[in-house]
Amino acid sequence: MNLKKQVASLAGMCLLAGGLFAQNVCVSTPHTSLLLKAPEGGEVRFLYYGQKLTEADLKTYEEDWGMDAAYPAYGLNCITETAISVQHPDGNLSLQLAVVDVASWTDDVSTKTVIRLKDKVYPFHVNLCYRAYKDVDVIEAWTEIVNGEKKPVVLNQFASAYLPIRRGQVWLSHLHGSWANEGLLVQEPLTPGMKVIKNKDGVRNSHTDHAEVMFSLDGQPRENEGRVIGAALCYGGNYKLRVETHDNDLHRFFAGINEENSAYTLEKGETFVTPPLALTYSQEGLSGASRNFHRWGRTYKLANGDKLRKILLNSWEGVYFDINQEGMDQMMADIAAMGGELFVMDDGWFGGKYQRNNDSSSLGDWVVDTRKLPEGIEGLLADAKKHGIKFGIWIEPEMTNSKSELYEKHPDWIVKAPQRDAVQGRGGTQLVLDLGNPEVQDFVFGVVDDLMTKYPEIDYIKWDANMSIMNHGSQYLPADRQSHLYIEYHRGLEKVCQRIRAKYPDLTIQACASGGGRANWGILPYFDEFWVSDNTDALQRVYMQWGTSYFFPAIAMASHISATPNHQTFRNIPLKYRIDVAMSGRLGMEIQPKNMTDEEKALCKQAIAEYKTIRPIVQQGDIYRLLSPYDKQGAASLMYVTPEKDKAVFYWWKTEHFVNQHLPRVPMAGLQADKLYRIHELNRIDNEPLPFEGKIFSGAYLMANGLEIPYNHKVDYHKQSDYASRVLYLEAVED
């Protein structure tokens, strides 16, 4: 296709203001528009991002109302933050990028627009790329940096995208935390100065902070009203988000790979492609932006996002490393009897020369320990088949221990600083394999491929990653490319994941990384779900899963019923409450069933049966967050609604416990006002049904008033507790 035809194909997207290249470029989704001014030979400038523009609106923007450069370059304006900074072979640190041309291509699901830029002096090119989806309100923005010079160019800064946001009462919502306390919500107004959110873990990137943010444009954030811009960097490695509020009318937002200690030498003819920044805009508040991210994620990013997830039992908190054939069979029998569909054997099943009885040995030696499992994986698969369930297994293929046969054979495969002893992690012996090395990539792929070749009936893999890159050094990369370590690690990981998915597209794989260390949209195209946190405490999970839901759908959030007292917090929480929290994500169990009473097993069996009824609503529906636990009003509430608005699930959890407390009544959201809905409580433990059980209410009434939720459960005296929770199923009925 020649350039004129490419530009002409922008019909419905671009308004040509004057000559062929003196144009405004409009990238649009069903309800949003991103507008740029791209005059041939001039600087590309940002004009607008927000509600979809009409033809009349577009005509207004024929005037030069550009807010700022669309991709600010360092060197000729050194005062403020920039998106790109390079050093040319002659030592020049400046760039001056001008528009060469604009082109677009359309496929069945999206339209890709590319604005090609070139330095005015050097043969150095930058392509600004945008993908607008036709059925979801998300635009992906990324950059292709091309070195046409005769010698290598050093990239010192290489953001994926830049977005200026008009100053006003703008608030930032983002996530932070730590191990066993991930995904906590922070909301703060943007003030003058710099706000930097970054990660330098090397392997995982979402234990502490997250590479996703939301900007509320109308003051303090609200869940279901107000203008919101959401941004999610689709990258699994080190990232940096910057918000600069300088002395003009803009908050200047940059997102991309963290360039610290990662200067990249771009060879002659090489193209450096940055990870996409996914942007969304909603006039329906924070939950509206979340719904956009969830639809986009399920449809276009998450592996097998259109398939409902199985209900599983994981062995970890039940037995830890105490794996044996009889014990696994017992756990399989128990989860099958409760209606579960999958059993996952966690850490401790492998080891040849070195037996894996704790976390200090054997990673990399992926052979079955027949001292624990005399019948091998074959015996476990036979047991799973006998019980009518599927079987899954735990691996940690990116890691090894210094006490392992793999390390004894390949000490050159680990990440290690030159001239230094390797820094060792978990168990005092854990080491990270250097995925920039193609031999290591083959090995890691082989871990999965060997398992699936020998045991094709394996249905699920839990892929863990329990160590950061603690020392900077690659034994594979040359001396003058050591700064490429972090980038090459994640390029290697992506290559491995692509090979695995090409061969095993239907295999369910969980991204676990000491819990929630890999909750990001760069990893999830290759994984079906992630482990939200190693902390399974139900009360703390209310807070963690609330924050995580801002950017990730319930289908991707593994949420398990665990024991009491909880193994991390030692808090005693009733089983009903633990069930109701776990049922708001991908339901599973993390418990030893033989330690449960018959009554507890019966309640779990009932819950699993009822979850199967609501599973499509929770895993594929639209989220509406109603009452935030972070508002400290004593309770939290959210709901999921089908796109057709004919079914919904309402969750309510008490989060604080005081005598004579007064909790707010929670109006619902997302229903159709003129529909009638019948109410049915799930997981009921009360001796009497709720007053509104089986009653019919209009959507209008429920969204205006909600229902009066009792603060406690009406149960026998010896079963009373300070905890209370409710799950209500709403189903539309005919008039």
Side-chain angles (χ1 to χ4, degrees):
M1 182 184 290
N2 64 37
L3 183 58
K4 284 190 176 184
K5 288 183 179 179
Q6 288 173 340
V7 174
S9 76
L10 294 169
M13 289 184 51
C14 285
L15 176 70
L16 305 184
L20 182 61
F21 298 112
Q23 66 216 34
N24 287 354
V25 179
C26 183
V27 181
S28 290
T29 68
H31 303 104
T32 72
S33 291
L34 175 68
L35 187 64
L36 303 159
K37 189 175 186 66
E40 182 183 11
E43 182 180 49
V44 59
R45 298 186 69 79
F46 176 89
L47 296 178
Y48 172 88
Y49 179 55
Q51 183 180 3
K52 189 167 186 177
L53 298 172
T54 66
E55 186 174 341
D57 296 325
L58 286 167
K59 289 180 180 178
T60 303
Y61 276 97
E62 291 186 20
E63 301 297 327
D64 188 5
W65 289 358
M67 292 175 71
D68 202 358
Y71 197 70
Y74 181 80
L76 298 181
N77 185 357
C78 304
I79 300 172
T80 57
E81 293 289 307
T82 53
I84 186 170
S85 171
V86 308
Q87 183 171 10
H88 300 280
D90 62 3
N92 193 334
L93 291 170
S94 68
L95 273 176
Q96 189 174 22
L97 299 171
V99 175
V100 176
D101 56 46
V102 180
S104 78
W105 301 264
T106 298
D107 58 27
D108 292 341
V109 300
S110 66
T111 297
K112 178 181 176 182
T113 300
V114 177
I115 303 174
R116 293 204 310 133
L117 312 175
K118 178 187 172 298
D119 186 86
K120 288 191 173 183
V121 175
Y122 297 91
F124 186 86
H125 303 264
V126 175
N127 300 329
L128 304 184
C129 306
Y130 302 90
R131 174 176 288 113
Y133 287 90
K134 295 180 178 180
D135 58 348
V136 293
D137 286 315
V138 170
I139 296 170
E140 295 175 13
W142 72 98
T143 307
E144 299 168 350
I145 303 170
V146 186
N147 179 18
E149 302 187 36
K150 295 180 179 180
K151 295 181 179 180
V153 172
V154 177
L155 306 182
N156 293 314
Q157 204 166 48
F158 31 90
S160 293
Y162 163 64
L163 184 71
I165 298 171
R166 181 65 167 79
R167 283 175 73 168
Q169 296 297 312
V170 180
W171 281 59
L172 178 68
S173 297
H174 60 102
L175 306 180
H176 83 109
S178 58
W179 174 80
N181 198 23
E182 297 94 331
L184 302 183
L185 178 65
V186 181
Q187 296 179 318
E188 57 189 324
L190 286 178
T191 56
M194 282 288 296
K195 176 70 177 181
V196 178
I197 299 171
K198 65 181 181 180
N199 176 269
K200 299 196 293 183
D201 181 281
V203 175
R204 309 84 52 91
N205 72 8
S206 55
H207 265 135
T208 51
D209 296 292
H210 268 249
E212 306 90 25
V213 294
M214 289 189 188
F215 299 94
S216 295
L217 308 183
D218 303 311
Q220 193 160 352
R222 292 166 290 170
E223 279 295 346
N224 292 296
E225 57 184 356
R227 298 175 299 150
V228 172
I229 291 173
L233 186 68
C234 305
Y235 189 56
N238 294 358
Y239 61 82
K240 182 182 284 186
L241 311 181
R242 295 170 283 153
V243 183
E244 179 190 42
T245 305
H246 203 246
D247 64 348
N248 61 10
D249 288 334
L250 302 176
H251 300 294
R252 307 175 76 241
F253 172 61
F254 300 83
I257 294 174
N258 190 341
E259 77 286 351
E260 296 176 34
N261 301 305
S262 293
Y264 190 89
T265 301
L266 193 66
E267 300 291 345
K268 174 185 176 182
E270 184 181 358
T271 298
F272 185 95
V273 181
T274 67
L277 177 70
L279 295 168
T280 193
Y281 172 84
S282 175
Q283 297 189 107
E284 298 178 351
L286 299 167
S287 288
S290 296
R291 291 190 287 275
N292 291 345
F293 277 131
H294 294 182
R295 291 168 190 152
W296 162 79
R298 288 192 302 260
T299 307
Y300 298 111
K301 289 292 177 180
L302 183 65
N304 301 306
D306 60 341
K307 296 179 181 178
L308 298 178
R309 305 300 193 244
K310 296 181 181 70
I311 300 164
L312 63 85
L313 169 64
N314 183 276
S315 70
W316 180 242
E317 286 191 15
V319 300
Y320 291 103
F321 291 99
D322 189 17
I323 298 289
N324 60 72
Q325 204 94 30
E326 182 181 357
M328 299 299 95
D329 181 50
Q330 166 257 308
M331 295 183 86
M332 287 188 228
D334 283 331
I335 187 61
M338 287 186 280
E341 300 154 326
L342 169 67
F343 173 75
V344 180
M345 179 177 64
D346 211 286
D347 197 354
W349 60 269
F350 56 94
K353 176 181 177 182
Y354 301 103
Q355 193 170 32
R356 178 78 168 178
N357 292 321
N358 54 50
D359 58 12
S360 67
S361 74
S362 311
L363 289 177
D365 302 345
W366 301 107
V367 294
V368 179
D369 186 347
T370 54
R371 292 158 291 192
K372 294 183 177 182
L373 301 169
E375 298 176 31
I377 304 298
E378 296 93 339
L380 296 172
L381 288 166
D383 287 340
K385 186 175 182 180
K386 173 182 67 178
H387 296 301
I389 60 173
K390 298 294 186 179
F391 177 79
I393 197 166
W394 179 96
I395 56 174
E396 192 174 359
E398 299 162 71
M399 308 288 166
T400 189
N401 294 106
S402 55
K403 187 179 178 181
S404 70
E405 294 180 79
L406 177 69
Y407 179 71
E408 290 172 353
K409 293 176 184 175
H410 296 288
D412 56 316
W413 278 8
I414 66 165
V415 171
K416 188 182 82 68
Q419 309 301 318
R420 312 289 185 191
D421 292 335
V423 177
Q424 302 187 56
R426 187 182 186 215
T429 61
Q430 188 151 336
L431 300 160
V432 181
L433 297 175
D434 185 357
L435 272 166
N437 184 337
E439 290 184 356
V440 174
Q441 294 170 27
D442 289 341
F443 170 79
V444 175
F445 169 76
V447 174
V448 175
D449 192 42
D450 289 347
L451 276 173
M452 297 307 299
T453 300
K454 293 176 185 175
Y455 317 111
E457 298 89 354
I458 288 176
D459 184 73
Y460 180 107
I461 284 178
K462 179 179 178 181
W463 179 310
D464 218 333
N466 285 308
M467 186 176 169
S468 310
I469 290 179
M470 304 293 289
N471 49 185
H472 191 126
S474 170
Q475 300 181 82
Y476 171 76
L477 293 171
D480 62 349
R481 296 294 185 270
Q482 288 295 303
S483 63
H484 292 199
L485 170 68
Y486 294 120
I487 292 171
E488 292 299 341
Y489 185 95
H490 283 277
R491 284 178 171 175
L493 177 61
E494 186 167 43
K495 289 176 183 177
V496 170
C497 291
Q498 287 171 345
R499 290 171 67 185
I500 291 170
R501 277 307 179 190
K503 191 168 183 180
Y504 305 106
D506 298 323
L507 175 66
T508 301
I509 311 177
Q510 181 191 85
C512 179
S514 299
R518 277 186 166 163
N520 66 72
W521 285 115
I523 288 288
L524 288 177
Y526 311 107
F527 292 82
D528 301 72
E529 63 180 33
F530 58 89
W531 186 221
V532 175
S533 177
D534 281 346
N535 186 345
T536 57
D537 177 84
L539 180 59
Q540 200 160 346
R541 275 292 187 117
V542 169
Y543 291 83
M544 293 189 289
Q545 292 176 190
W546 184 277
T548 305
S549 76
Y550 270 56
F551 303 98
F552 304 100
I555 192 173
M557 296 197 298
S559 185
H560 293 180
I561 303 164
S562 61
T564 192
N566 180 262
H567 289 199
Q568 293 79 43
T569 65
F570 305 103
R571 196 180 347 245
N572 286 285
I573 298 178
L575 180 58
K576 155 74 172 169
Y577 195 97
R578 286 177 272 147
I579 288 172
D580 287 355
V581 172
M583 282 180 64
S584 66
R586 193 278 288 138
L587 177 64
M589 299 186 74
E590 192 91 9
I591 198 168
Q592 173 52 280
K594 74 177 183 180
N595 295 333
M596 300 169 66
T597 66
D598 289 342
E599 184 178 6
E600 289 173 329
K601 289 181 180 179
L603 184 56
C604 285
K605 182 175 183 179
Q606 172 192 341
I608 287 171
E610 294 189 316
Y611 184 77
K612 290 175 181 177
T613 299
I614 64 171
R615 177 162 45 185
I617 310 168
V618 175
Q619 296 189 6
Q620 300 287 355
D622 293 327
I623 192 170
Y624 292 84
R625 289 182 296 269
L626 307 174
L627 179 63
S628 173
Y630 293 91
D631 290 344
K632 299 192 180 303
Q633 296 188 60
S637 181
L638 58 80
M639 61 192 298
Y640 298 100
V641 184
T642 61
E644 300 79 15
K645 299 186 181 297
D646 60 340
K647 297 176 182 178
V649 186
F650 170 89
Y651 295 86
W652 181 94
W653 306 283
K654 193 163 68 166
T655 56
E656 298 175 356
H657 319 298
F658 300 98
V659 174
N660 198 25
Q661 66 185 132
H662 303 285
L663 304 179
R665 185 158 164 165
V666 183
M668 297 185 187
L671 304 174
Q672 188 169 316
D674 60 355
K675 280 187 182 293
L676 299 176
Y677 296 90
R678 178 178 283 112
I679 310 297
H680 171 56
E681 183 184 9
L682 306 181
N683 307 333
R684 177 186 147 196
I685 62 170
D686 294 55
N687 293 333
E688 300 175 6
L690 292 168
F692 44 76
E693 174 67 33
K695 301 290 178 60
I696 295 173
F697 300 86
S698 71
Y701 176 86
L702 294 170
M703 290 190 290
N705 302 284
L707 296 169
E708 195 67 63
I709 305 295
Y711 296 0
N712 300 100
H713 293 286
K714 293 183 178 180
V715 294
D716 294 343
Y717 183 82
H718 69 282
K719 294 182 179 180
Q720 289 181 354
S721 167
D722 50 350
Y723 284 86
S725 59
R726 304 285 175 175
V727 181
L728 305 180
Y729 175 45
L730 286 68
E731 188 171 18
V733 297
E734 297 297 328
D735 294 355

